[in-house]
Amino acid sequence: FFDQYLRDTRVPTLEYSVKDDVLMHRWVNTVNDFNIPVRLTIDGKPTWVEPKSEWGTTKITANSKEIAVDPNFYIVPFKL
């Protein structure tokens, strides 16, 4: 956490995509071992996910239409 936000100039990027009822996510543009949870709002419901540098998955409701990152997190969301 501290190495990323205090000793590095890059802003963490959360890459994500949705296929059917699976949310795929990962961190890019980060220092090694940057693994912090992030809160998303999926169809109006707050949900915590724990991205890592490798692709991970989180099961969500099929046909979820709206996914938003909590604006209190200093990250860049990027939908693939």
Side-chain angles (χ1 to χ4, degrees):
F1 177 83
F2 290 105
D3 283 340
Q4 179 65 49
Y5 287 108
L6 298 177
R7 297 180 182 105
D8 198 294
T9 59
R10 298 174 292 173
V11 178
T13 300
L14 176 67
E15 288 186 340
Y16 69 95
S17 66
V18 177
K19 184 170 182 180
D20 300 324
D21 61 347
V22 175
L23 172 68
M24 293 177 37
H25 46 72
R26 73 174 177 178
W27 287 120
V28 294
N29 204 31
T30 61
V31 296
N32 291 336
D33 299 325
F34 180 74
N35 298 318
I36 65 164
V38 64
R39 188 170 65 188
L40 306 177
T41 303
I42 301 173
D43 291 336
K45 295 180 183 178
T47 303
W48 285 91
V49 296
E50 297 184 18
K52 306 234 185 286
S53 58
E54 296 83 31
W55 284 104
T57 59
T58 300
K59 198 147 179 75
I60 60 174
T61 306
N63 301 320
S64 291
K65 301 287 185 215
E66 184 180 329
I67 296 176
V69 175
D70 185 323
N72 294 311
F73 286 83
Y74 184 56
I75 65 170
V76 176
F78 185 76
K79 184 175 183 181
L80 298 174

